[in-house]
């Protein structure tokens, strides 16, 4: 009963300047409005946006290009512009940001224990205060930035830069039905990994798709595991999930930790045990524990936290395409079960929100759901 579709997206080439690196991901199923033409994420031959990289997978239908940039804790809105010194170490875009994160330290996904040469440089970023940072639009902004730019701020197919995701029409020919009081499956994919965590919520169709609306109907998770589901037919896996309800907004809402670790430096890839100068020290590794085994994405000095399954790690994981990486290919979806409220029926919009830790960015994608009585 669950439509298997759309997915994540990714940043782009990202081996260039620190200031142009963006993390990208997206809702895979139910298929979101952000997936232009409802492209199948398993179709790795499809080239979203006519680009010559990251075909299929996490950027199907260019959905990964719908996000909000420059979203800092305590600021009233997202700047939609790149911070002056880049997304890692850039200062907040408002005069009075909130320097006190709400997230307990045990749920960190990046620079754990603040061992970076820069100290605690993520404290204003979204995952450090889950749900508290603003978004520019509850279903994403086309291109993420006011002006299109390379490195993940390109204009998505079928849109104009700065279009509001909340104004996108429902996907044609897609019908996703849930039963009131039942358990439903949802899933998303990682393209460019920036840690953090994510949350699902509902808003009635026909109501303005705002944070106020989605915050009234947060969904809770069912069970204590994620399912790692492969698009290429490999047997799915069960891995432990970490639920987070402390310091979240709406108060008491349950989020889930992104279970995929990046490499162990501020940059999240190209880490080095000796390089303290490149990109302001972003490549200097927190430790040198050696590459994960089996090795997929290049993390020669180790990862931010333990790897949950074979090849389940990395930063630019969308570079591991089926034609290049074999068993390490980025063909997996992080699947969770959510509890459908028993007291509602009718047409609803499901919203997936990913608050990342490495950058001041938030991904928000929206899909259409019909909830019927059992």
């Amino acid at each position: 009963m669950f439509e298997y579709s759309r997915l994540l997206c990714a940043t782009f080439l990202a081996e260039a300047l620190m200031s142009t690196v963006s993390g990208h991901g997206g809702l895979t199923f139910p298929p979101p409005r952000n997936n232009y033409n409802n492209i199948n994420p398993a179709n790795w031959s499809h080239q979203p946006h006519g680009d010559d990289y990251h075909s299929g997978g996490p950027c199907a239908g260019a959905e990964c290009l719908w996000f909000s940039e420059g979203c800092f804790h305590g600021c009233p809105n997202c700047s939609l512009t790149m911070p002056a010194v880049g997304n890692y170490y850039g200062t907040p875009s408002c005069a009075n940001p909130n320097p006190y994160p709400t997230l307990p330290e045990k749920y960190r996904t990046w620079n754990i224990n603040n061992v970076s040469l820069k100290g605690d440089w993520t404290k204003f970023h979204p995952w450090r205060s889950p749900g508290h940072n603003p978004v520019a639009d509850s279903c994403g902004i086309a291109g993420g930035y006011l002006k299109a730019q390379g490195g993940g701020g390109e204009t998505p197919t079928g849109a104009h830069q700065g279009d509001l995701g909340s104004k996108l029409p429902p996907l044609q020919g897609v019908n996703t039905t849930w039963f009131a009081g039942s358990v439903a499956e949802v899933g998303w994919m990682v393209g460019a990994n920036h840690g953090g965590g994510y949350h699902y919520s509902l808003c009635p169709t026909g109501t303005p798709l705002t944070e106020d609306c989605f915050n009234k109907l947060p969904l809770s998770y069912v069970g204590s595991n994620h399912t790692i589901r492969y698009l290429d037919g490999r047997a799915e896996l069960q891995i432990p999930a970490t639920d987070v309800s402390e310091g979240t907004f709406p108060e008491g809402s349950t989020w889930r930790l992104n279970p995929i670790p990046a490499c162990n430096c501020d940059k999240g890839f190209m880490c080095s045990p000796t390089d303290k100068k490149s990109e302001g020290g972003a490549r200097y590794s927190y430790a040198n524990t050696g590459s994960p085994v089996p090795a997929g994405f290049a993390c020669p000095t180790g990862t931010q936290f333990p790897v949950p399954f074979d090849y389940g790690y990395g930063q630019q994981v969308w570079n591991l395409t089926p034609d290049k990486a074999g068993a390490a290919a980025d063909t997996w979806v992080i699947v969770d079960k959510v509890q459908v409220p028993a007291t509602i029926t009718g047409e609803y919009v499901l919203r997936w929100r990913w608050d990342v830790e490495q950058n001041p960015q938030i991904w928000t994608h929206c899909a259409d759901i019909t909830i019927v009585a059992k």
Side-chain angles (χ1 to χ4, degrees), residues 32-365:
R33 298 178 179 188
N34 311 77
N35 182 339
Y36 186 69
N37 282 341
N38 192 25
I39 299 300
N40 187 341
N43 181 3
W44 292 86
S45 64
H46 176 77
Q47 291 295 151
H49 203 240
D51 296 314
D52 59 358
Y53 44 75
H54 307 312
S55 60
C59 213
E63 69 171 77
C64 64
L65 297 174
W66 292 85
F67 65 101
S68 298
E69 165 67 36
C71 309
F72 294 96
H73 189 212
C75 294
N77 49 52
C78 301
S79 67
L80 301 183
T81 57
M82 177 73 69
V85 296
N87 271 324
Y88 305 166
Y89 310 134
T91 56
S93 54
C94 64
N96 297 298
N98 188 336
Y100 303 107
T102 65
L103 182 77
E105 286 291 306
K106 62 184 177 180
Y107 299 124
R108 296 283 298 278
T109 61
W110 215 276
N111 187 27
I112 297 167
N113 297 320
N114 298 324
V115 294
S116 165
L117 295 175
K118 299 290 187 180
D120 187 9
W121 53 272
T122 71
K123 65 183 177 181
F124 296 108
H125 293 179
W127 180 240
R128 298 296 300 279
S129 300
H132 291 270
N133 289 30
V135 296
D137 186 83
S138 291
C139 300
I141 292 288
Y145 296 85
L146 290 174
K147 296 181 179 179
Q149 62 178 63
E154 292 84 351
T155 306
T157 308
H160 297 95
Q161 191 77 11
D163 280 355
L164 305 181
S166 59
K167 303 301 183 183
L168 286 170
L171 292 178
Q172 295 297 310
V174 174
N175 299 290
T176 301
T177 301
W178 290 356
F179 290 100
S182 69
V183 174
E185 281 191 340
V186 289
W188 69 287
M189 291 182 77
V190 178
N193 184 15
H194 296 291
Y198 59 96
H199 171 68
Y200 293 92
S201 55
L202 295 171
C203 177
T205 301
T207 303
L209 300 179
T210 64
E211 291 304 285
D212 284 344
C213 185
F214 285 113
N215 287 339
K216 292 175 182 177
L217 274 175
L219 298 181
S220 59
Y221 293 102
V222 176
S224 58
N225 292 321
H226 307 282
T227 297
I228 301 301
R229 183 167 297 161
Y230 290 90
L231 300 175
D232 58 4
R234 282 178 279 165
E236 62 186 36
L237 307 171
Q238 298 287 312
I239 63 171
T242 299
D243 288 352
V244 180
S245 57
E246 301 172 70
T248 60
F249 188 81
E251 184 176 359
S253 60
T254 304
W255 296 58
R256 274 198 165 166
L257 202 76
N258 173 2
I260 309 302
C263 307
N264 64 346
C265 63
D266 294 353
K267 187 178 179 70
F269 66 117
M270 300 175 70
C271 304
S272 164
T274 58
D275 186 356
K276 295 184 179 182
K277 295 183 178 180
S278 296
E279 302 185 52
R283 298 186 188 184
Y284 185 59
S285 62
Y286 309 143
N288 188 8
T289 58
S291 175
V293 178
F297 189 85
C299 283
T301 61
T303 55
Q304 302 272 350
F305 53 89
V307 176
F309 61 96
D310 286 357
Y311 309 112
Y313 71 93
Q315 208 270 352
Q316 299 288 311
V317 292
W318 58 10
N319 288 336
L320 303 181
T321 55
D323 59 326
K324 296 178 181 178
D330 177 27
T331 60
W332 36 269
V333 183
I334 300 170
V335 179
D336 297 293
K337 294 180 179 179
V338 294
Q339 181 65 55
V340 183
T343 56
I344 61 174
T345 57
E347 303 299 318
Y348 283 82
V349 175
L350 172 75
R351 198 272 296 274
W352 164 81
R353 172 171 168 158
W354 177 27
D355 282 22
V356 307
E357 184 167 359
Q358 186 192 24
N359 294 341
Q361 299 170 325
I362 298 173
W363 268 257
T364 47
H365 295 165

